[in-house]
Each structure stands twice: as structure tokens, then as C-alpha cells.
Amino acid sequence: MDLGLSGRSAIVCASTQGLGLACARALATEGVDVVLNGRDPDKTATVADELGREIGRAVRYVAADVTTDQGREALLAECPAPDILVNNNAGPAPGQFADYGREQWRNALDANMIAPLLLVRAVLPAMRERRFGRIINIVSAMVTTPRPHMTLSAGARAGLVAALKGVALEVARDNVTIHNLLPERFDTERQIYMAKQAAVREAISYDEARAKQVESIAARRLGRPPEFGAVCAFLCSDHAGYMSGQNVHLDGGSYPALV
């Protein structure tokens, strides 16, 4: 299937590893001019070089922290009017609700709600004017299935999803779509980290924690990052122009509700 993306441009935030990189790779493979982003300059340059050699053309990159004004400005200076914006950022560490104060909540909101909202605000006018735009927010299954140890993530990301649902209604007339990808248990560095945290929290071994991750998924396996990237690329395509404002669960069939 030709996704009709060749020649488009994209900013993919936090895209030097994991699900962000999977999305960047899928888009770049479809001919999109992708701007990679990461906080570590050396790592970001290395990943951009590796992806460029993989797809046979240079890949642009910006080493910047998207939670800062300077970081967002640097990304937009490199790609002022992207056709596609993929919002992504590291999630808050798991912990107990009683331990969180104003600083922890402010940091979670800045990273996982405010920063992506400001990027959306910056790119929307040009998308609407040229009558094409695709915005993908990589959030979390915690948006619809919160857990006691993930209240920071659930709160901030649910706020982002709610705010952009209203925006999606307004911009659909201009062929600008907004979707949220809700991953659960993909085989990435994040899940290795979460398993280590669970091992400490539950007083079990790391191997036991990893086994529990697999058992928590209906498909009885962890997701593969390329599967995630493929869904992102499709939602950015011409073929997905008649759907918007959706929360797409990517969880091996684990989401238990009807809606």
C-alpha cells in the first residue's frame, strides 16, 4: 500500500530510541523527511546517521529538550512547518501518590501535557492553511486504564488527550487529524526500566518482573516496535484522512472495555 507520504516532512520528538524511533523509521521508510530529536547530542547524531544509511539519504536531527522553550524553538527552526508532528517524551517514574508534591506534578505536566500542546499550537496554523496535517501523540495505556503507581503519567497524559479532543473537532474540516497512540508493554528500554522498578516494588526478581509483563498482555507477548511504527505511519497517511480524535490501543488485545 502506498501511504502517499513521500515528500512530506515530520518532526518526531524523543526519537532516538524506543517507540519514537520506531515511528521515525516507519515514516522515513515511506519517504518522509524526518527530523529526529533527542537530548543527548552524540546519541542523536549517531542515530540520525544510522537511520540515514538505512534509508539511503541524510536524516536531519535536533538535539534538544522539548520540555523547554529553547528546545521547542530549535526544533521549529529546523522544520518550521511540518506536515506531521509526533509528540513523544519520557514518562514519569512510577511511584506512590502520597509521595508526589507540587514539583513532581508540575514536571509531569510540563513534559507530558504542556510541551506537546505548545508544539501543536505552533504547527497547526500552517497545517490548516495548506489543508494537510497529521498529529500523533504517543501517550500511554494509563490514559484509559490508570494504575495506582502511575498517577503522574495518567493525569498528565489524560489532560493532553482531553485538550486535543476538542481541537480535533475544529481542525478536521481542514484535513488535519489528531490521534493518540496508547501503548502497553512494547519491548523497549522503557519496559526494561519498568521491570526493574517492579522488581524492587514487589520484592521479586527481574526475570519474574519481565515474565509478569508478558502475562499481563492478552497476546502473551510484548509488542514489537516496528508494529507500533507501522500504525503511526498509516494514521499519518492519505488513507486515514476520514478518522480523527481517536485513542488507538496498541496492547496485544488487552484493553478490556467496549469504548
Side-chain angles (χ1 to χ4, degrees), residues 23-150:
C23 291
R25 176 176 284 116
L27 291 170
T29 300
E30 292 293 328
V32 176
D33 177 17
V34 170
V35 178
L36 290 182
N37 163 246
R39 297 185 185 187
D40 184 318
D42 291 337
K43 181 176 181 178
T44 307
T46 297
V47 173
D49 180 65
E50 291 173 349
L51 182 57
R53 286 187 278 109
E54 182 180 321
I55 64 173
R57 64 181 189 278
V59 173
R60 294 185 288 160
Y61 66 91
V62 174
D65 180 353
V66 298
T67 65
T68 68
D69 292 339
Q70 296 86 348
R72 292 188 295 274
E73 289 168 3
L75 267 178
L76 294 168
E78 181 65 32
C79 188
D83 298 297
I84 298 164
L85 170 65
V86 180
N87 276 313
N88 185 35
N89 211 341
Q96 298 303 311
F97 175 74
D99 295 333
Y100 300 144
R102 180 181 294 274
E103 181 179 1
Q104 287 81 9
W105 280 107
R106 181 181 288 119
N107 290 341
L109 290 170
D110 281 344
N112 299 118
M113 180 180 174
I114 304 302
L117 286 176
L118 291 176
L119 279 171
V120 170
R121 186 183 69 172
V123 303
L124 264 182
M127 288 181 173
R128 299 187 73 178
E129 183 176 350
R130 65 175 172 268
R131 298 191 60 78
F132 183 92
R134 300 290 186 262
I135 296 169
I136 303 293
N137 304 297
I138 301 176
V139 288
S140 168
M142 297 300 112
V143 168
T144 56
T145 53
R147 294 290 184 268
H149 62 290
M150 295 296 288

Side-chain angles (χ1 to χ4, degrees), residues 207-253:
D207 288 341
E208 288 173 320
R210 287 290 275 179
K212 288 184 71 172
Q213 287 181 336
V214 172
E215 286 298 310
S216 73
I217 299 299
R220 293 299 186 268
R221 68 173 177 86
L222 300 182
R224 295 184 289 270
E227 295 175 307
F228 190 91
V231 174
C232 176
F234 174 76
L235 291 176
C236 293
S237 74
D238 288 338
H239 305 292
Y242 198 59
M243 60 185 296
S244 188
Q246 300 302 304
N247 294 324
V248 182
H249 287 268
L250 294 161
D251 59 5

